[in-house]
Amino acid sequence: MKHLLSAADLTHDDAEMILETAAAMHDVQNREVKKLPALRGRTVVNLFFEDSTRTRSSFEIAGKWLSADVINVSAKGSSVSKGESLRDTVMTVAAMGVDGLVIRHNRSGAPLQVSQWVDCMVVNAGDGTHEHPTQALLDAYTMQAQLGTLEGKHVAIVGDLTHSRVVRSNLILLKTLGAHVTLVAPPTLMPSGIAAWAARDGFDVSYDLDAVLPHVDAVMMLRVQRERMSGGYFPTPREYTVGYGLTRGRLALLPQHAVICHPGPMNRGLEISPDAADEARSKVLDQVSAGVAVRMSVLYHLLASNSTEGAQA
């Protein structure tokens, strides 16, 4: 595997290998000196055409803890803001001899296109409303750490499905790892053609959150992406919370072993209440911590998995 552009790029063995390596990488966070030599001499450029805090920071930390030289380039202040095309930008950066590009872009399919222009490794860090494969990996890592395995487990993904790239990658990866998924949202936030999609890929759809919660092993609340909305997808924020928010009252419906996840950033009081966000079953901060370990694992397997030096980590 040269690139990671989609969760569909991963076989079951690939995914398990990345998650297993991430567990070893996670131990680095507890060391006094957080450095491994695996990517020494390699250069990774983070090209972010959308604002990001968690993803860009975790990729930067992941690369640096693996001893890579990491350079961050954002659209603001770059030649892109002067009118340069995406192709010219990535070709220019690649011509400098870099080993990998980590790309976030507001256009679906942009990382795939970039991978066809350059010879270096490309990782999709989120493209439009398409996919976010490393987010799905860190979500799976977090849930698996609590549940032991995802095989046969029931995961509900709730909220703004129409505008979410997280849900698409999670659907693919969770199925690969043997989990059963139920998507829950109001009709206005369900993707078009959802019935045919569910029938083809084998997941369930529900409009009743209260009916689903008692039967899940994990629930993932998605952010309401108001910046992507151009119309009235729901009457008021209050009505959304009443129908589809993980409120204090709904916590009682969750099994005691169930895991609460959220890819962040959270709209507290909208899709998730402060009580749920700060509950013992909430693994939101665990997801952030897992993000560094998982991205270390991805970079390692794409750039240094055959390196004897890296194997000594």
Side-chain angles (χ1 to χ4, degrees):
M1 185 172 65
K2 182 177 181 180
H3 309 295
L4 180 57
L5 306 174
S6 165
D9 294 339
L10 302 170
T11 64
H12 182 275
D13 289 345
D14 290 335
E16 290 289 3
M17 178 177 62
I18 289 173
L19 297 177
E20 183 178 334
T21 304
M25 297 294 187
H26 215 159
D27 293 338
V28 174
Q29 298 183 36
N30 298 318
R31 294 185 184 181
E32 185 175 350
V33 178
K34 299 176 175 63
K35 279 282 187 179
L36 300 175
L39 296 186
R40 188 163 53 198
R42 300 296 187 100
T43 301
V44 178
V45 176
N46 294 328
L47 277 170
F48 275 63
F49 297 89
E50 278 188 327
D51 292 336
S52 169
T53 300
R54 290 164 180 77
T55 303
R56 187 173 73 173
S57 297
S58 62
F59 266 114
E60 181 178 4
I61 293 171
K64 288 182 175 178
W65 283 1
L66 289 169
S67 299
D69 295 310
V70 181
I71 300 168
N72 291 321
V73 178
S74 61
K76 296 174 184 176
S78 73
S79 295
V80 174
S81 63
K82 301 175 184 178
E84 185 174 67
S85 68
L86 173 63
R87 185 178 188 279
D88 286 336
T89 297
V90 297
M91 293 291 283
T92 298
V93 172
M96 298 177 187
V98 304
D99 299 289
L101 297 174
V102 177
I103 298 178
R104 168 168 286 193
H105 202 278
N106 59 4
R107 298 289 185 182
S108 299
L112 172 61
Q113 183 66 75
V114 168
S115 71
Q116 297 168 352
W117 292 331
V118 301
D119 293 327
C120 64
M121 172 215 76
V122 177
V123 175
N124 180 1
D127 60 330
T129 58
H130 178 227
E131 276 207 55
H132 195 352
T134 59
Q135 179 68 46
L137 282 164
L138 73 88
D139 293 338
Y141 179 92
T142 303
M143 289 184 279
Q144 191 165 276
Q146 299 300 314
L147 300 173
T149 179
L150 289 176
E151 185 71 40
K153 295 297 189 290
H154 184 190
V155 180
I157 304 178
V158 184
D160 185 0
L161 306 176
T162 293
H163 303 100
S164 176
R165 53 191 165 214
V166 172
V167 69
R168 288 159 176 79
S169 289
N170 267 285
L171 276 172
I172 295 168
L173 185 63
L174 288 170
K175 180 181 178 182
T176 298
L177 293 173
H180 175 66
V181 179
T182 299
L183 299 187
V184 186
T188 52
L189 289 174
M190 280 286 185
S192 61
I194 189 67
W197 184 10
R200 185 187 71 232
D201 289 359
F203 59 87
D204 289 333
V205 174
S206 176
Y207 301 100
D208 188 345
L209 180 56
D210 292 337
V212 172
L213 287 180
H215 308 290
V216 302
D217 299 293
V219 57
M220 182 180 301
M221 306 305 297
L222 298 178
R223 181 173 66 90
V224 176
Q225 300 187 41
R226 286 176 285 193
E227 74 278 8
R228 296 183 188 272
M229 296 181 180
S230 57
Y233 285 84
F234 45 85
T236 66
R238 174 63 181 162
E239 287 197 44
Y240 181 86
T241 301
V242 169
Y244 294 94
L246 188 58
T247 59
R248 178 190 298 177
R250 286 197 170 103
L251 287 174
L253 297 175
L254 276 175
Q256 282 302 309
H257 73 278
V259 177
I260 299 170
C261 294
H262 192 303
M266 295 184 289
N267 292 311
R268 284 176 179 254
L270 183 56
E271 73 266 2
I272 188 168
S273 69
D275 302 85
D278 299 329
E279 228 244 14
R281 288 174 289 180
S282 172
K283 302 303 173 185
V284 176
L285 291 180
D286 294 62
Q287 289 173 271
V288 176
S289 177
V292 176
V294 163
R295 285 158 182 146
M296 288 177 72
S297 178
V298 167
L299 293 176
Y300 170 77
H301 282 292
L302 290 176
L303 289 175
S305 58
N306 295 321
S307 168
T308 55
E309 182 179 46
Q312 295 170 2

